[in-house]
């Protein structure tokens, strides 16, 4: 059974109905605001079951959110473009002078709820039923259900994910595989705590238009999940909880605060009921961590080192800076000084404010048929988790259930308490230059070719509706594909005379070969031969389309902010 079949085959009413009443009184969780015609909302596609998932009162809520917040979202996206233009002209990010009083002030975030006190191991992944059941049953403290980097937002996927979440919260979620294996949820108290990651502010939901404009994917994902599940989650002391992605400033955090507060008011939830963890996965955001915590201080419980997106953001921020070219992806590890400074500053900032400092992702997949290779991979995981826990992190991420006991053993040994906010890391002195200084390293031919392969294979799968793809025993998502794509652009446009930022200082492979568009063309042309029978690969039929898209993105003089933006136009 396809993970998308849940919408078409689900029974008529597993999702709690909401009465179309007048404005709720305090405590009437789930009741919508005063009804008004949702004449401004139109759905551009039709999937079986969408009327049940998007009933009229919920559509009213979406209309209200969009009309209130869309102008502010557009303003924030414009501010991003202005800031990037400053960087492209040679400017550098830095701590803000106008918010020094926030960084220097003595304040803390609101108390952390019981369900989020211990987060030593969290598993992340897409929102299909099989993944959700495995993650909730995995023994991890939390499961981050990802509507963003692990989900290709085809309309069927978005709605199927919301149905999966609703059935998971209700405890009715099940999945029967084609081989006859049955997947069922464990008892409530044995399940991981559910945390949902909606899409970032930059992504539209093109299938829902309000007053002729697409609604923000972030607002759609958050509001639909909250509307269906807030009552049950609150009754069980489980949220709703969210991970907020790709913020770049305190103003963007304040926009989330406005959105969450509005939904709480419209659903009759107590203020601050919906808790959030913010991913610090953009370079500008690392200079505003105190400010982001302050903007969300009534509901934020932590910050997370979103390492892959952070590396991508470093590349994107400094795309025009020839002195900020990075080596191949495999050498840009968290032990590199600029990434070490980022993670340790995050720990110090969080613990000073009473928030959790979450570590980053272990993307390894167990290698079943090669014990030696598998042990080397697991050794890298153990070393990474040991670095995190001894630095002071309160928890970490894994992409595969088999890594949970590996990560937990390290954290249990070195963190006997639920968290370690008592580790204040006052020794950390991470200044502006520490956070932006690039690392040294090389670019191997294998590293160059791997970037091309990862980009093409991931984009092909994404265009085919799959946002989370195993490639060479790593779980690749949009963030890791973005690193590969951005590195290709950076190397080529600074090295080749035909590039947009070439300054006469070519970039070379470690064997002396100049990185130029000829090398890129040859590598791309040779890829189908390297891949062999693409029929066995996720999205294999879309390989030629993905190759053409990578070629377009890589040659463009203007760096496209996110590969998912042009790819989304091709997604049904």
């Amino acid at each position: 059974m396809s993970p998308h079949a849940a919408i078409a085959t689900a029974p008529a009413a597993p999702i709690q109905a909401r009465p179309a009443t007048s404005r709720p009184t305090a405590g009437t969780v789930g009741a919508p605001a005063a009804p008004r015609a949702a004449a401004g909302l139109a759905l551009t596609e039709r999937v079986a079951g969408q009327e049940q998932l998007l009933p009229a009162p919920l559509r009213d809520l979406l209309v209200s959110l969009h009309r209130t917040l869309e102008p502010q979202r557009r303003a924030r996206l414009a501010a991003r473009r202005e800031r990037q233009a400053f960087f492209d002209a040679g400017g550098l990010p830095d701590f803000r002078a106008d918010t020094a009083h926030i960084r220097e002030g003595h304040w803390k975030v609101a108390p952390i709820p019981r369900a989020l006190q211990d987060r030593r191991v969290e598993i992340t992944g897409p929102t299909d039923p099989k993944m959700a059941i495995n993650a909730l049953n995995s023994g991890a403290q939390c499961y981050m259900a990802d509507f963003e980097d692990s989900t290709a937002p085809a309309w069927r996927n978005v709605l199927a994910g919301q149905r999966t979440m609703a059935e998971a919260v209700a405890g009715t979620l099940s999945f029967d595989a084609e081989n006859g294996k049955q997947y069922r949820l464990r008892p409530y108290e044995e399940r991981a705590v559910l945390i949902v990651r909606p899409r970032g502010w930059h992504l539209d939901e093109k299938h829902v238009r309000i007053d002729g404009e697409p609604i923000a994917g972030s607002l759609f994902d958050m509001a639909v999940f909250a509307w269906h599940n807030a009552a049950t989650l609150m009754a069980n002391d489980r949220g709703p909880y969210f991970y907020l992605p790709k913020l770049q400033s305190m103003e963007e955090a304040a926009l989330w605060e406005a959105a969450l507060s509005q939904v709480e008011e419209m659903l009759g939830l107590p203020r601050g009921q919906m808790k959030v963890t913010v991913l610090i996965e953009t370079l500008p955001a690392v200079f505003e961590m105190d400010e982001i915590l302050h903007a969300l201080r009534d509901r934020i419980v932590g910050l997370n080192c979103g390492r892959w997106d952070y590396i991508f953001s470093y590349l994107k921020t400094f795309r025009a800076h020839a002195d900020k070219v990075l080596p191949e992806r495999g050498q840009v590890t968290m032990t590199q000084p600029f990434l070490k400074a980022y993670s340790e500053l995050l720990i110090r900032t969080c613990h000073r404010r009473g928030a959790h400092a979450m570590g980053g992702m272990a993307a390894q997949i167990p290698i079943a048929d090669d014990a030696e290779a598998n042990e080397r991979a697991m050794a890298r995981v153990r070393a990474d988790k040991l670095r995190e826990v001894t630095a002071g992190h309160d928890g970490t991420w894994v992409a595969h259930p088999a890594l949970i006991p590996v990560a937990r053993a390290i954290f249990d040994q070195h963190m006997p308490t639920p968290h370690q906010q008592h580790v204040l890391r006052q020794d950390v002195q991470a200044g502006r230059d520490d956070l932006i200084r690039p690392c040294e390293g090389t670019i191997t031919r294998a590293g160059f070719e791997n970037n091309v392969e990862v980009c093409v294979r991931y984009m092909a799968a994404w265009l085919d509706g799959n946002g989370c793809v195993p490639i060479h025993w790593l779980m690749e998502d949009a963030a890791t594909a973005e690193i590969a794509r951005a590195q290709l652009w950076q190397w080529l446009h600074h090295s080749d005379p035909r590039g947009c930022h070439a300054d006469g200082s070519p970039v070379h492979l470690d064997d002396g070969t100049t990185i130029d568009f000829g090398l890129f063309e040859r590598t791309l042309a040779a890829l189908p031969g390297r891949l062999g029978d693409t029929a066995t690969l996720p999205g294999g039929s879309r390989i030629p389309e993905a190759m053409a898209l990578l070629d377009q993105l890589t040659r463009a003089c203007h760096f496209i902010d996110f590969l998912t933006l042009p790819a989304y136009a091709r997604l049904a």
Side-chain angles (χ1 to χ4, degrees):
M1 176 174 152
S2 164
H4 311 308
I7 287 182
T9 62
I15 294 176
Q16 300 167 354
R18 296 293 187 265
T21 63
S22 59
R23 188 173 186 81
T25 58
T28 56
V29 178
R36 65 170 175 174
L41 187 147
L43 302 178
T44 64
E45 298 289 338
R46 180 176 178 81
V47 172
Q50 70 184 29
E51 290 80 6
Q52 179 190 24
L53 281 165
L54 303 173
L58 173 53
R59 295 187 190 198
D60 289 343
L61 187 153
L62 294 172
V63 169
S64 177
L65 275 178
H66 175 85
R67 288 175 175 167
T68 302
L69 299 174
E70 181 63 11
Q72 298 175 57
R73 181 176 80 107
R74 294 293 176 187
R76 300 280 34 103
L77 295 178
R80 284 189 185 184
R81 292 190 292 271
E82 293 173 5
R83 200 174 193 183
Q84 185 60 53
F86 168 74
F87 299 145
D88 288 345
L92 299 173
D94 205 344
F95 298 96
R96 290 170 57 163
D98 64 324
T99 57
H101 64 286
I102 295 177
R103 295 192 299 277
E104 295 165 3
H106 298 283
W107 52 269
K108 289 185 178 293
V109 302
I112 296 174
R114 180 189 57 81
L116 295 177
Q117 285 285 330
D118 188 335
R119 299 172 65 179
R120 65 190 60 222
V121 182
E122 299 186 341
I123 188 168
T124 75
T127 60
D128 62 273
K130 180 181 174 181
M131 173 66 202
I133 293 170
N134 284 340
L136 290 167
N137 291 347
S138 67
Q141 271 69 30
C142 300
Y143 157 44
M144 189 201 77
D146 191 9
F147 281 92
E148 201 215 18
D149 280 353
S150 295
T151 296
W155 188 228
R156 65 185 187 278
N157 288 353
V158 171
L159 294 185
Q162 290 288 352
R163 180 174 292 281
T164 296
M165 294 299 101
E167 292 179 354
V169 171
T172 60
L173 181 64
S174 63
F175 177 75
D176 296 332
E178 291 180 355
N179 63 5
K181 185 175 181 180
Q182 295 183 332
Y183 296 81
R184 302 293 185 266
L185 289 172
R186 289 180 178 173
Y188 179 82
E189 61 276 6
E190 298 179 19
R191 295 178 219 153
V193 174
L194 177 62
I195 307 177
V196 166
R197 175 160 71 169
R199 282 167 281 184
W201 284 129
H202 62 290
L203 294 170
D204 293 339
E205 176 44 73
K206 66 181 180 181
H207 303 97
V208 180
R209 302 188 72 84
I210 297 172
D211 303 331
E213 298 177 322
I215 192 172
S218 49
L219 295 181
F220 180 88
D221 296 341
M222 178 272 291
V224 174
F225 176 78
W227 195 87
H228 283 294
N229 303 297
T232 301
L233 289 167
M234 190 175 82
N236 289 283
D237 192 26
R238 289 290 183 104
Y241 302 141
F242 297 96
Y243 256 111
L244 305 183
K246 294 184 175 56
L247 299 186
Q248 293 196 16
S249 67
M250 64 177 290
E251 287 82 6
E252 293 184 16
L255 183 55
W256 266 117
E257 175 60 37
L260 293 161
S261 294
Q262 183 172 339
V263 171
E264 285 174 341
E265 181 180 1
M266 295 181 75
L267 297 184
L269 295 167
R271 178 172 172 78
Q273 176 65 35
M274 295 198 287
K275 301 298 185 184
V276 301
T277 304
V278 170
L279 289 132
I280 300 300
E281 52 186 355
T282 69
L283 185 63
V286 81
F287 295 96
E288 299 190 32
M289 290 191 290
D290 273 304
E291 292 88 336
I292 288 169
L293 286 167
H294 190 265
L296 291 159
R297 60 192 178 278
D298 291 335
R299 70 176 74 253
I300 196 165
V301 297
L303 302 177
N304 176 289
C305 281
R307 64 172 81 175
W308 306 124
D309 266 303
Y310 187 81
I311 295 169
F312 165 56
S313 179
Y314 184 98
L315 295 164
K316 180 166 60 173
T317 300
F318 292 133
R319 61 198 187 191
H321 294 238
D323 62 338
K324 299 290 192 297
V325 174
L326 295 182
E328 64 183 48
R329 180 176 67 151
Q331 298 176 30
V332 186
T333 67
M334 293 302 292
T335 60
Q336 293 287 5
F338 82 102
L339 292 174
K340 181 174 182 287
Y342 145 66
S343 64
E344 293 184 346
L345 181 59
L346 184 145
I347 294 167
R348 177 183 176 180
T349 303
C350 285
H351 289 180
R352 183 184 177 204
R353 305 304 183 186
H356 285 335
M358 300 300 296
M361 169 68 76
Q364 287 83 355
I365 301 170
I367 306 172
D369 57 355
D370 189 333
E372 290 186 11
N374 187 64
E375 175 51 34
R376 289 194 296 271
M378 294 305 104
R380 288 192 291 272
V381 174
R382 286 191 290 269
D384 184 55
K385 300 315 168 191
L386 180 61
R387 173 194 59 79
E388 289 181 330
V389 72
T390 55
H393 281 291
D394 302 291
T396 192
W397 274 13
V398 299
H400 192 281
L403 301 187
I404 293 172
V406 178
R408 174 173 285 118
I410 299 295
F411 270 79
D412 285 351
Q413 180 182 356
H414 296 275
M415 193 180 78
T417 51
H419 55 78
Q420 46 187 346
Q421 290 181 16
H422 56 279
V423 179
L424 298 178
R425 292 307 309 267
Q426 293 177 340
D427 59 302
V428 174
Q429 300 295 328
R432 192 276 305 273
D433 292 345
D434 300 307
L435 293 165
I436 68 173
R437 186 178 294 114
C439 61
E440 296 183 356
T442 61
I443 306 167
T444 65
R445 186 175 297 273
F448 186 91
E449 292 173 349
N450 184 68
N451 276 10
V452 172
E453 180 182 348
V454 166
C455 285
V456 170
R457 288 181 61 179
Y458 181 79
M459 287 194 294
W462 198 95
L463 291 168
D464 203 44
N466 183 357
C468 194
V469 188
I471 302 175
H472 299 316
W473 306 109
L474 291 175
M475 192 62 74
E476 307 283 7
D477 65 7
T480 51
E482 289 283 30
I483 295 173
R485 190 262 304 193
Q487 285 199 315
L488 291 171
W489 191 96
Q490 184 189 53
W491 295 336
L492 289 162
H493 283 273
H494 283 289
S495 180
D496 193 309
R498 293 170 290 177
C500 301
H501 299 284
D503 64 354
S505 303
V507 181
H508 297 91
L509 299 180
D510 63 349
D511 64 7
T513 302
T514 300
I515 294 179
D516 58 19
F517 283 101
L519 175 64
F520 173 68
E521 291 162 3
R522 293 190 297 274
T523 303
L524 191 62
L527 181 60
R530 288 181 56 201
L531 296 179
D533 181 12
T534 58
T536 64
L537 300 177
S541 64
R542 310 294 288 268
I543 292 288
E545 184 179 359
M547 290 175 62
L549 181 56
L550 177 60
D551 186 66
Q552 173 190 340
L553 292 171
T554 304
R555 292 182 184 280
C557 233
H558 175 71
F559 183 87
I560 304 301
D561 283 342
F562 296 94
L563 66 83
T564 49
L565 295 176
Y568 188 42
R570 303 165 182 247
L571 198 65

